[in-house]
């Protein structure tokens, strides 16, 4: 996937949810702040792509958001993966980032995120 496709998706995501969806996810973008700059964060987390605890081929994925708990959200243009490297957990959904954020709110993403993010618990 080309980075420009991700940047278009991120702009649409920010337009719909803002830069901090549910006050839990930080959406990465082009920024002078290295903590939220998409290029710098992808370079920082590149080593996770090859770690032995998962069997995922992340070569075409980019990190597009980081949660307050340190979860990494990856996208390759058709599949979103939420990964918790501390606990060696991940979930994968065949959706774009905007739909993924909606599914989190609906409680349809499994056990990786806090229940408090779900609409019934918010």
């Amino acid at each position: 996937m080309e980075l420009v496709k991700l940047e278009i998706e991120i702009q649409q995501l920010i337009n719909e949810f803002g830069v901090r969806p549910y006050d839990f996810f930080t959406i990465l973008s082009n920024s002078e702040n290295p903590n939220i700059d998409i290029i710098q964060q992808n370079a920082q987390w590149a080593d996770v792509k090859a770690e032995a605890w998962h069997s995922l081929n992340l070569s075409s994925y980019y990190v597009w958001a980081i949660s307050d708990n340190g979860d990494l959200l990856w996208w390759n243009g058709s599949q979103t993966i939420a990964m918790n490297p501390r606990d060696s957990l991940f979930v994968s959904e065949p959706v774009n980032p905007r739909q993924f954020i909606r599914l989190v709110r609906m409680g349809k993403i499994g056990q990786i995120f806090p229940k408090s993010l779900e609409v019934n618990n918010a």
Side-chain angles (χ1 to χ4, degrees), residues 73-120:
L73 280 65
W74 304 83
W75 190 50
N76 71 348
S78 60
Q79 188 86 8
T80 297
I81 295 174
M83 179 184 285
N84 179 326
R86 296 175 319 282
D87 296 331
S88 300
L89 296 172
F90 68 88
V91 295
S92 178
E93 294 290 336
V95 296
N96 65 29
R98 284 176 291 146
Q99 183 63 22
F100 189 86
I101 292 295
R102 290 182 199 115
L103 291 173
V104 167
R105 192 58 149 185
M106 294 166 49
K108 301 201 183 247
I109 298 296
Q111 302 297 322
I112 198 165
F113 302 119
K115 289 278 189 199
S116 62
L117 295 177
E118 297 174 17
V119 73
N120 293 335

